[in-house]
Amino acid sequence: MPMTIYWPDGYQAKRRTVDEAISLLKPGQRVFIGTSCGEPQCLVKALAAKSSCFADLEIVRLLSLEALPLSLLAEQTDCQTISIRSFYLGSAKPKRLSRNKRFITPINLSAVPRLFKTRRLPIHAALIQTSPPDDFGWMSLGISVDVTLAAVQSADLVIAQVNPNMPRVLGQSFVHVNEVDVIVECEEELLTIGRPPEFESAHLIGRHVAKLVDDGSTLQLSLGATPQSVLLALSEKNDLGIHTQFLTDGFMDLIGRGVVTNRKKGLNEGKTVASGAIGSKNLYEFLNDNPGIAFYPSDYVNDPAVIAQHNKMVSVNVIMAMDLTGQAAADALAYNHFTGVTGTMDFVRGSCQSPGGKSILMLPSTTLDGRTSRIVPILEQMAVVVPRGDVHYVATEFGVVNLFGKTLEERAMALISIAHPDFREDLLDLAKAMGLVGHARTLADSIHGVYPLKLEMNLELDGEKVLIRPARPTDVRLIQEHFYNLDQEDVAGRFLQDKRIFGLSDVAGMYDLDYIKNLTMLAVTGDIGFERVIAVGGYYLNPANYYAEVAYSVAREWQGRGLSSCIQERLFRAARDNGVLGFKAFTTPRNKGMIRLFKKLSCRVTSDFDGDILTLTARFQEKA
């Protein structure tokens, strides 16, 4: 029987110089490289320098966008000595990716460890980076656990770069000295990234997304500028949890502020769970020996079945483009530094199965130069990363829609409503030409309208959440259903006639609006995409005198709770800011509720009676 070697003795016996370690690699081998900011730079530089000495060496890695030695090595693949296999689920449309797209292996990140462990893709050697061993011989993979742990467990030869700057991160992140074959001691700074660039559109998207995140939710966010804006917008939330692929500085900030407590996750409560970290030196120091942090491999963190066990799991991912049917393309962008695209589908599907969970896809409405819409009629030359059947919430700087359970026409109209106003008319025409939208559908003034987020207001009435918000072009069916469900007495009070049919032409002015000359406010309950309208109020400007006609309706069971007052206050504020001189309402003397409502306005109100019609006039410039 072989003698058991005391691990410190084994550690000393395994020590090699970096050149000695790289010389152990052989032609024709498949070599895994530690991922993202955990890339063992010392080993990779030596490998790059000696690349001409190898024949048919295959490098296996997760896609990286940075100009690091390994990435530069990928640019030199025409030498026929080294090929690069990059696990990546994106479309590879950007020029930087397109040049080497033949080396891309599309796969969900949760499946990569199984690919290694089953030896369907044998790993002959793994170059990794670890922390120094503790008193028991355990070395942490630190900021790069994801698929690296599976590579260590599967590789024939494991070469570990031991770096004292690598944090000792707790969880399932440890490799014992006895499990590695070669030790290379090399102290160097870990790879870091700065704060993402500031985009105004990113902040607007972040505000929209933050409204979908309830207190007690568990979060996953992809990399990039927009997710960081979401984190900034979450600063007023409570008891959030984290189960994500990458930890970033934004997450660290939320933990420091007490916004993240991990107390209501439902799984791994009290722990921030991830499989890697990408950020600053401060972030890496924050992770070191932190008992509130636990890193696990990707076949756990990215497993949809594990993700689904969390309470209110909210996944937030950046996409590159979406067509009018809801198909989404995603790519690593220059400011992403490292791509998390390969884990997108794992979290999209897992979050949708979570109790109270949400999957949110974010995209700026245009390219950075503003010349091209990112919402397109059909995806061309771009791989679909998220199929249309898996798409739920979609957010741009112009709003949020929910495509789940929607027809192709409803999807097209919803996406056009959150596209940039400069492109909506063309998108609508193309949607009609493609047969996605009926020729009778119009957008009229809303073609150029910008949704006024500032007018939204959240209420809680008798324990039920109510959102008061401006109407959208997608609300046509909701408004129709509201009127069909009204009592006939309320219908007569609203329309001054006995009305039974509420066709598109009857409600067109309530959803085809520009939010300036015409504005409709709704009170709704339920989730976005499945809301119920319980109250409607709107003004419609008469350009001849710049007075606006107003009208209201409230579902019978919600009357007497102040909804009309809240809606009127919002309409009054918006109308006054938009240059409207006053309101007019036409009703009957029997409508005491309307009369009382109008007199709540903080301006002079007069009344005129003509036959059966009472005209109420509010003059904004005259005080009550």
Side-chain angles (χ1 to χ4, degrees), residues 113-141:
R114 184 167 68 251
L115 192 66
F116 293 165
K117 292 178 181 179
T118 59
R119 301 288 290 183
R120 291 176 179 173
L121 188 73
I123 302 297
H124 303 114
L127 308 185
I128 65 171
Q129 185 171 204
T130 73
S131 68
D134 60 17
D135 292 343
F136 306 99
W138 291 100
M139 303 181 293
S140 174
L141 293 172

Side-chain angles (χ1 to χ4, degrees), residues 468 552 562-570 597 600:
I468 294 178
Y552 305 90
L563 288 177
S564 293
S565 297
C566 291
I567 289 176
Q568 179 172 260
E569 186 273 331
R570 286 296 196 258
L597 177 66
K600 290 181 179 180

Side-chain angles (χ1 to χ4, degrees), residues 10 12 27 32 81 121 123 218 224 229 256 270 298 302 337 356 366 407 445 486 500 515 556 560 562 565 577 585 606:
Q12 293 300 322
F32 172 84
T81 60
L121 188 73
I123 302 297
T218 304
S229 297
S298 295
N302 284 67
H337 300 281
T366 68
T407 66
D445 290 337
L486 288 178
R500 306 280 177 170
Y515 302 115
R556 181 56 60 97
S565 297
D577 292 345
T606 60

